[in-house]
């Protein structure tokens, strides 16, 4: 029902060019951008489960954790300030990604990446040397600003630098780097927790500076994208650069399309007003808000942020907790590879639907297991090994489902459905909504666990069921459809077509223009 049959209309463009070493170097910059984001997603959970860190900055949580009289496992880590340590980063990233949109447009992608690297480095240093909670939070805010700039500019940089037929793979590779960043963070936490003297957490937080240095160096040496140069009126330079990065002299077709795209974009006075005010953009607007909202309401960041804390709440020892989160990190990374392989072969919808069903089943199982063992009181001290193992397996299968569906496709799908004239505004909406709900989950999870108990997992399972139904009815397939032809997908969809028969519809406008031209 949600799928459409569409044979593409005009064939996709084919520009000459190859994958040059220069373009491969740009992948390095992209890789560092993904690593930064992933490292920060993964590092806070392990650090907040380390006793010396808790003792120094969150003594109340530390006391509760050590106390043998308080046995309510659900509430062991409940603390708004502890959650603020994790979530403040995403609130800062939300605002920074909106500001980064302007910087990236006016001064180029490279400047945004450079700013990301600098700010990120400061944040990592502040966190590593923190002696007071305020330094920690300020450091996290700086990291968030860095992430806002990197997430806005790096994917754009990658997709503009890459030959058109590599664009999809480059895009999901960014997500793969995020998962590698998360895994590195899990492994580093496992190692630093063992450092005697209780300063291991400083190393964990400080090592975030490594990908920041890579992105900083890369942005000094790499050039800006030809598209960005065209956008800023530097056409001659842009054409010379295009020849260099494509490794061929015949770049006229691609260059002319770039000029045409720029001219078209110049005609749009306010992409924001267009996006929010024009009926024919409703389907895309709905997707740019709902997809990141649903992605975060899968509950994935409960695992990514708080796995070690969650495992400790379930009665695991601190070593076992960190090992378990390394296991989920490995599963997350490999399953993302499945999506790279399958999204162009099996299509986006089948991955979304299969992943949704899998997540629903295993999240419900997790809720059932925890409810059965911990009940409402959460008063359990003795957890048998088999129980812990079954919970870890269920969490892994759930993470797997996310990692080949809503994880990468939650970024890929919105990025390929927006027409050029509203693309950057809609992309900013997607990033901002994603960061907003990442913040909300990060800020509320431990409190919700304390009040909703195992019901919290039922809550997320409910949303997974809703989003899977939404996908079935409302998300058309976008596999193998050129971006320029994407409007057709909405025009032939049983529900969304009602928004598309507007005089302002870009396709209707084009038809009207060509009729006018014929008459002249
Ligand atoms: C999400 C993150 C999540 C990560 C896990 C990303 O697509 O946006 O919030 O932590 O996947 O791999």
């Amino acid at each position: 029902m949600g799928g459409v049959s569409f044979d593409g209309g005009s064939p996709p463009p084919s520009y000459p060019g190859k994958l040059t070493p220069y373009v491969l170097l740009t992948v390095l910059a992209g890789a560092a951008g993904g690593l930064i984001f992933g490292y920060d997603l993964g590092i806070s959970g392990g650090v907040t489960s380390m006793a010396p860190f808790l003792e120094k900055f969150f003594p109340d949580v530390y006391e509760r954790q050590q106390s043998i009289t308080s046995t309510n496992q659900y509430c062991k880590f409940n603390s708004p300030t502890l959650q603020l340590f994790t979530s403040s980063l995403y609130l800062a990233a939300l605002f920074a990604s909106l500001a980064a949109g302007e910087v990236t447009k006016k001064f180029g992608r490279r400047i945004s990446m450079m700013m990301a690297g600098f700010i990120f480095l400061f944040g990592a240093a502040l966190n590593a040397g923190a002696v007071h909670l305020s330094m920690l939070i300020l450091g996290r805010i700086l990291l968030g600003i860095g992430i806002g700039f990197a997430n806005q500019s790096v994917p754009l940089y990658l997709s503009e630098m890459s030959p058109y037929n590599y664009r999809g793979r480059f895009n999901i590779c960014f997500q793969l780097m995020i998962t590698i960043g998360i895994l590195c963070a899990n492994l580093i936490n496992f190692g630093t927790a063992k450092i005697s003297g209780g300063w291991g957490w400083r190393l964990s937080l400080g090592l975030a500076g490594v990908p920041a240095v890579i992105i900083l160096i890369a942005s000094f040496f790499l050039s800006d994208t030809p598209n960005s140069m065209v956008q800023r009126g530097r056409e001659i330079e842009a054409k010379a650069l295009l020849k260099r990065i494509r490794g061929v002299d015949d770049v006229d077709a691609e260059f002319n399309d770039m000029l045409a795209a720029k001219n078209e974009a110049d005609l749009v006075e306010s992409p924001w007003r267009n996006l929010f005010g024009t009926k024919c953009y409703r389907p895309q607007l709905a997707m740019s808000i709902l997809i990141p909202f649903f992605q975060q309401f899968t509950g994935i960041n409960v695992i990514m942020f708080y796995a070690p804390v969650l495992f400790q709440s379930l009665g695991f020892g601190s070593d076992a907790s960190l090992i378990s989160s390394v296991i989920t990190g490995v599963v997350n990374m490999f399953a993302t590879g499945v999506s790279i392989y399958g999204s162009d072969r099996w299509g986006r919808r089948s991955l979304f639907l299969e992943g949704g069903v899998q997540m629903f089943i295993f999240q419900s199982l997790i809720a059932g297991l925890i409810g059965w063992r911990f009940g409402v009181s959460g008063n359990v001290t003795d957890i048998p090994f088999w129980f812990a193992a079954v919970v870890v397996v269920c969490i892994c299968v759930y993470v797997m489902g996310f990692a080949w569906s809503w994880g990468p496709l939650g970024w890929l799908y919105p990025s390929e459905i927006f027409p050029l004239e509203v693309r950057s505004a809609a992309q900013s909406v997607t990033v901002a909504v994603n960061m907003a709900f990442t913040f909300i989950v990060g800020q509320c999870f431990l409190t919700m666990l304390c009040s909703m108990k195992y019901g919290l997992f039922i809550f997320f399972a409910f949303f997974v069921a809703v989003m899977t139904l939404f996908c079935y009815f409302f998300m058309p397939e976008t596999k193998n459809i050129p971006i320029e032809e994407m409007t057709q997908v909405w025009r032939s969809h049983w529900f969304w077509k009602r928004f598309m028969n507007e005089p302002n519809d870009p396709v209707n406008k084009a038809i009207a223009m060509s009729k006018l031209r014929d008459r002249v």
Side-chain angles (χ1 to χ4, degrees):
M1 156 119 35
V4 287
S5 65
F6 177 63
D7 56 13
S10 56
S14 81
Y15 309 128
K18 46 191 181 221
L19 200 58
T20 55
Y22 194 88
V23 168
L24 287 174
L25 261 181
T26 65
V27 178
L28 188 70
L35 273 183
I36 289 182
F37 186 36
Y39 192 84
D40 266 295
L41 285 163
I43 205 72
S44 53
V47 167
T48 47
S49 75
M50 292 180 196
F53 176 82
L54 287 178
E55 192 181 5
K56 188 166 181 62
F57 298 107
F58 305 95
D60 52 325
V61 182
Y62 177 72
E63 267 164 38
R64 229 179 300 142
Q65 190 209 23
Q66 300 294 313
S67 152
I68 34 167
T69 47
S70 137
T71 46
N72 184 348
Q73 302 289 345
Y74 292 125
C75 299
K76 230 174 166 180
F77 288 89
N78 180 19
S79 153
T81 36
L82 185 65
Q83 294 175 108
L84 192 65
F85 166 70
T86 298
S87 68
S88 49
L89 189 152
Y90 302 95
L91 195 59
L94 190 173
F95 291 110
S97 63
L98 296 176
E102 277 303 293
V103 175
T104 308
K105 193 170 146 199
K106 284 213 176 83
F107 304 103
R109 288 59 171 140
R110 208 168 65 99
I111 295 291
S112 277
M113 281 159 54
M114 216 177 268
M115 284 180 65
F118 261 124
I119 300 173
F120 208 83
L121 211 53
F122 268 115
L126 207 58
N127 268 351
V131 289
H132 189 266
L133 184 62
S134 56
M135 277 175 87
L136 264 190
I137 304 286
L138 187 63
R140 292 288 287 178
I141 290 175
L142 289 181
L143 295 180
I145 298 176
I147 285 190
F149 273 87
N151 274 15
Q152 210 281 338
S153 55
V154 174
L156 213 59
Y157 187 78
L158 280 179
S159 61
E160 290 178 348
M161 279 297 199
S162 65
Y164 77 97
N165 46 343
Y166 282 85
R167 201 160 293 153
R169 264 169 281 179
F170 274 28
N171 193 309
I172 301 190
C173 278
F174 184 71
Q175 169 73 16
L176 185 66
M177 292 315 298
I178 295 178
T179 63
I180 293 176
I182 296 176
L183 179 61
C184 287
N186 296 153
L187 285 167
I188 286 170
N189 277 338
F190 182 62
T192 59
K194 296 194 178 334
I195 294 178
S196 58
W199 57 273
W201 60 269
R202 291 192 188 276
L203 195 57
S204 287
L205 296 179
L207 280 173
V210 175
V213 169
I214 301 178
I215 197 171
L216 198 56
I217 295 178
S219 59
F220 266 111
F221 289 104
L222 297 174
S223 60
D224 217 325
T225 66
N227 316 55
S228 167
M229 287 179 174
V230 166
Q231 197 170 31
R232 287 174 295 136
R234 290 159 54 189
E235 277 133 24
I236 297 174
E237 268 173 89
K239 192 162 184 184
L241 175 67
L242 192 61
K243 287 182 184 170
R244 190 166 149 223
I245 61 175
R246 296 287 175 258
V248 290
D249 275 338
D250 175 18
V251 292
D252 285 350
E254 187 172 1
F255 188 68
N256 291 339
D257 280 356
M258 244 176 233
L259 287 178
K262 184 218 176 222
N263 293 337
E264 222 171 281
D266 282 352
L267 289 179
V268 176
E269 280 160 31
S270 163
W272 289 97
R273 208 175 323 126
N274 245 3
L275 179 64
F276 285 97
T278 315
K279 201 173 161 195
C280 66
Y281 295 126
R282 285 294 138 78
Q284 289 95 334
L285 181 63
M287 294 294 161
S288 71
I289 295 171
L290 285 173
I291 291 179
F293 163 77
F294 281 144
Q295 191 207 51
Q296 288 307 313
F297 271 71
T298 55
I300 188 65
N301 281 325
V302 163
I303 308 296
M304 295 301 140
F305 293 163
Y306 295 117
V309 166
L310 179 69
F311 289 132
Q312 278 200 28
S313 302
L314 295 178
F316 292 25
S318 61
D319 239 21
S321 300
L322 290 170
I323 293 178
S324 308
S325 46
V326 170
I327 296 174
T328 54
V330 172
V331 168
N332 189 23
M333 188 186 78
F334 280 108
T336 303
V338 173
S339 190
I340 295 183
Y341 176 83
S343 61
D344 287 333
R345 288 183 174 80
W346 310 318
R348 283 59 162 152
R349 275 173 59 83
S350 33
L351 283 171
F352 269 127
L353 293 173
E354 193 286 332
V357 172
Q358 183 171 326
M359 281 192 286
F360 176 76
I361 296 174
F362 283 85
Q363 198 137 33
S364 308
L365 271 176
I366 295 168
L369 282 166
I370 297 180
W372 169 64
R373 194 76 204 175
F374 289 80
V376 180
S377 71
N379 285 338
V380 175
T381 43
D382 181 29
I383 308 287
F385 175 78
W386 69 264
F387 177 82
V390 173
V391 172
V392 173
V393 169
C394 287
I395 289 183
C396 284
V397 183
Y398 157 80
V399 168
M400 215 183 271
F402 174 86
W404 60 51
S405 62
W406 284 87
L409 303 182
W411 291 106
L412 176 67
Y413 193 88
S415 79
E416 59 188 12
I417 57 171
F418 305 132
L420 180 76
E421 61 275 17
V422 292
R423 194 171 296 157
S424 89
Q427 184 64 18
S428 294
V429 172
T430 302
V431 176
V433 174
N434 195 298
M435 292 300 146
F437 286 101
T438 308
F439 166 76
I440 290 172
V441 172
Q443 184 58 39
C444 299
F445 167 67
L446 295 174
T447 307
M448 283 169 85
L449 180 67
C450 181
S451 55
M452 292 169 77
K453 334 271 181 220
Y454 63 90
L456 181 59
F457 297 93
I458 300 177
F459 170 84
F460 284 124
F462 166 78
F463 276 101
V464 171
V466 172
M467 69 188 74
T468 307
L469 287 173
F470 176 82
C471 173
Y472 182 75
F473 289 108
F474 297 107
M475 287 169 72
E477 182 57 80
T478 53
K479 171 187 92 163
N480 291 341
I481 297 175
I483 292 187
E484 300 83 327
E485 312 277 346
M486 205 57 85
T487 324
Q488 282 302 334
V489 158
W490 309 105
R491 292 167 72 82
S492 47
H493 187 273
W494 72 274
F495 178 78
W496 297 115
K497 68 179 177 202
R498 73 195 65 195
F499 296 98
M500 306 303 289
N501 294 322
E502 280 274 291
N504 269 345
D505 178 332
V507 175
N508 290 342
K509 261 193 199 165
I511 295 170
M513 287 291 283
S514 77
K515 276 191 186 149
L516 205 68
R517 243 181 278 126
D518 286 351
R519 256 196 283 156
V520 173

